[in-house]
């Protein structure tokens, strides 16, 4: 059986020079409700959040297996010595936006979130053909 490029999916890619806040890695959790693929109609939930590692990022080979440096999952981070039970290592997206606006400027922050929105749109368009034909999804 030959390799079909349409069957290839990249679900994640490790970034070896991540943007850090307070020296720590973070990721974004954004929720999107798609009510229609044809025409494409989607809504971004305004209360997304970002999750932080509890240990400052270190790219040393000796730290490659340190999950507290590299993985933002709360299910992992909550077992670390530096985990904060009060906020759970999370910021609401609007707090992230305020921080980025303060540190990088409003124009850069606005451009970043605009680009994130376009990534969402392009991601949804990439699966539009498959999703629109699957009547069991709605």
């Amino acid at each position: 059986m030959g390799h079909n490029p349409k069957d290839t999916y990249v679900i994640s890619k490790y970034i070896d020079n991540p943007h850090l806040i307070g020296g720590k890695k973070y990721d974004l959790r954004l929720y999107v409700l798609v009510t229609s693929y044809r025409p494409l109609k989607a809504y971004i939930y305004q209360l997304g959040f970002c999750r932080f590692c509890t240990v400052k990022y270190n790219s040393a080979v000796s730290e490659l297996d340190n999950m507290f440096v590299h993985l933002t999952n709360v299910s992992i981070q909550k077992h670390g010595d530096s985990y904060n039970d009060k906020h759970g290592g999370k910021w609401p997206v609007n707090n992230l936006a305020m921080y980025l606006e303060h540190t990088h400027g409003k124009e850069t922050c606005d451009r970043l979130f605009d680009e994130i929105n376009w990534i969402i749109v392009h991601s949804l368009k990439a699966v539009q053909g498959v999703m629109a034909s699957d009547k069991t999804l709605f």
Side-chain angles (χ1 to χ4, degrees):
M1 186 169 180
H3 175 71
N4 182 346
K6 287 186 175 183
D7 294 336
T8 303
Y9 300 92
V10 175
I11 59 166
S12 66
K13 179 181 179 184
Y14 188 80
I15 299 171
D16 58 6
N17 61 342
H19 183 265
L20 306 173
I21 294 179
K24 298 176 183 179
K25 285 179 66 174
Y26 65 97
D27 70 4
L28 291 174
R29 264 308 145 110
L30 303 174
Y31 299 96
V32 179
L33 171 66
V34 179
T35 58
S36 171
Y37 277 95
R38 297 210 181 180
L40 181 59
K41 188 182 275 190
Y43 302 88
I44 299 174
Y45 184 56
Q46 296 299 311
L47 296 179
F49 57 91
C50 57
R51 306 177 300 176
F52 289 88
C53 288
T54 55
V55 176
K56 288 190 176 188
Y57 179 73
N58 183 338
S59 62
V61 174
S62 61
E63 292 292 330
L64 286 177
D65 291 331
N66 186 341
M67 295 185 297
F68 302 114
V69 170
H70 298 284
L71 301 177
T72 59
N73 307 54
V74 173
S75 61
I76 291 169
Q77 293 296 328
K78 69 181 178 182
H79 299 291
D81 294 335
S82 302
Y83 183 73
N84 183 320
D85 285 334
K86 289 189 175 35
H87 64 74
K90 297 177 186 178
W91 278 3
V93 168
N94 62 332
N95 285 18
L96 174 66
M98 285 190 298
Y99 172 84
L100 294 173
E101 198 171 300
H102 177 74
T103 57
H104 298 284
K106 181 167 178 30
E107 184 179 319
T108 300
C109 182
D110 289 347
R111 188 171 58 244
L112 171 69
F113 281 95
D114 188 50
E115 289 177 11
I116 289 171
N117 288 336
W118 278 110
I119 288 169
I120 292 168
V121 169
H122 291 297
S123 297
L124 294 173
K125 283 183 169 186
V127 298
Q128 187 176 32
V130 175
M131 300 300 279
S133 65
D134 190 340
K135 301 297 183 200
T136 63
L137 294 176
F138 300 100

